[in-house]
Amino acid sequence: MLLIPAIDLKDGRCVRLRQGDLDDATVFSEDPTAMATHWLELGARRLHLVDLNGAVAGKPKNEAVIRAIVDAVSVDIPVQIGGGIRDLDTIERYLDFGISYVIIGTAAVKNPGFLHDACGAFPGNIIVGLDARDGKVATDGWSKLTKHDVTDLAKKFEDYGCEAIIYTDIGRDGMLSGVNIDATVKLAQHVRIPVIASGGVTDLRDIDALCAVEDEGIEGVILGRSIYEGTLDFEAATKRADELSK
């Protein structure tokens, strides 16, 4: 089970949001690069970056910080990035300076042709982010709930050739309310590609629960507020996941 620390970037700082609300941001570090190095030193095997300003603007807005993070850690571990990725040029630029995986979320739902082209142009590098509430996909920073069933879209995007799916239960993200195991497993059972869980992780009990269903196709989990507020010790969680995954 891959435990992936998240570094959400807003105005060049490392923050965490509650349920995707940019107006409800807690600043955890003025130096995201130092934070990235911190997680690497504690045993992280991948980092998850989100350009929150970019997600709103529809184009990268924290690129200098993202480059600095990649320069600091990408020799050692892969880095994945999401937020405001709307064209192939942006993907190519990110991959050129060392990003391993580019995450396409809202754009995948609104413009499936773009996702199809991205998977074809950059095979092995594209991850789809599907955010859902009660099985329906949300877009635009979770502000709009669509009629799309998350399982149907996941199967469609799998056929396009995406590398993995990040599934976020938006009712739980940033709320320390526990992972929606049932919904995550249900999605993983309908696709062949790996699913990465996101949203709601609180403590070691969530890691135990995810490891128990790892064989369903759940490859990893993104960790945010829990590791920043200390309800989950990242080193201990990594050790536990390694033990349970043997």
Side-chain angles (χ1 to χ4, degrees), residues 2-5 38-39 42 176 179 200-208 210 221-241:
L2 194 59
L3 306 189
I4 310 171
H38 170 72
W39 297 128
L42 290 183
L176 299 176
V179 178
V201 170
T202 306
D203 52 35
L204 277 175
R205 289 172 294 182
D206 291 304
I207 304 303
D208 291 347
L210 283 164
V221 58
I222 294 168
L223 304 175
R225 188 171 288 274
S226 61
I227 56 173
Y228 287 99
E229 293 195 347
T231 62
L232 180 71
D233 180 292
F234 181 74
E235 267 190 305
T238 299
K239 182 179 179 181
R240 175 75 67 89

Side-chain angles (χ1 to χ4, degrees), residues 19-37:
Q19 294 185 307
D21 184 355
L22 276 172
D23 294 326
D24 192 358
T26 305
V27 177
F28 282 104
S29 176
E30 298 284 346
D31 187 348
T33 304
M35 185 60 70
T37 304

Side-chain angles (χ1 to χ4, degrees), residues 94-109:
Y94 274 144
L95 295 177
D96 282 348
F97 70 67
I99 291 286
S100 297
Y101 304 103
V102 172
I103 303 158
I104 302 175
T106 290
V109 181

Side-chain angles (χ1 to χ4, degrees), residues 41 56 58 101 148 172-173 183 191 196 219 233 238-239:
E41 290 171 348
V56 174
Y101 304 103
H148 294 294
R172 302 193 184 208
D173 188 74
V191 294
I196 297 170
E219 177 184 72
D233 180 292
T238 299
K239 182 179 179 181

Side-chain angles (χ1 to χ4, degrees), residues 167-212:
Y167 173 69
T168 304
D169 182 320
I170 63 177
R172 302 193 184 208
D173 188 74
M175 302 305 289
L176 299 176
S177 57
V179 178
N180 190 334
I181 296 290
D182 291 344
T184 306
V185 167
K186 180 181 176 183
L187 179 64
Q189 288 174 336
H190 281 86
V191 294
R192 299 178 303 278
I193 57 175
V195 170
I196 297 170
S198 176
V201 170
T202 306
D203 52 35
L204 277 175
R205 289 172 294 182
D206 291 304
I207 304 303
D208 291 347
L210 283 164
C211 288

Side-chain angles (χ1 to χ4, degrees), residues 124-200:
N125 299 116
I126 305 300
I127 293 175
V128 170
L130 290 177
D131 308 325
R133 187 191 301 275
D134 299 325
K136 299 299 181 183
V137 174
T139 62
D140 299 278
W142 307 347
S143 63
K144 298 179 182 177
L145 200 62
T146 72
K147 295 181 180 179
H148 294 294
D149 182 86
V150 66
T151 301
D152 292 342
L153 273 188
K155 290 192 287 188
K156 177 180 178 181
F157 295 159
E158 175 184 46
D159 290 341
Y160 288 179
C162 66
E163 184 70 10
I165 292 168
I166 296 173
Y167 173 69
T168 304
D169 182 320
I170 63 177
R172 302 193 184 208
D173 188 74
M175 302 305 289
L176 299 176
S177 57
V179 178
N180 190 334
I181 296 290
D182 291 344
T184 306
V185 167
K186 180 181 176 183
L187 179 64
Q189 288 174 336
H190 281 86
V191 294
R192 299 178 303 278
I193 57 175
V195 170
I196 297 170
S198 176

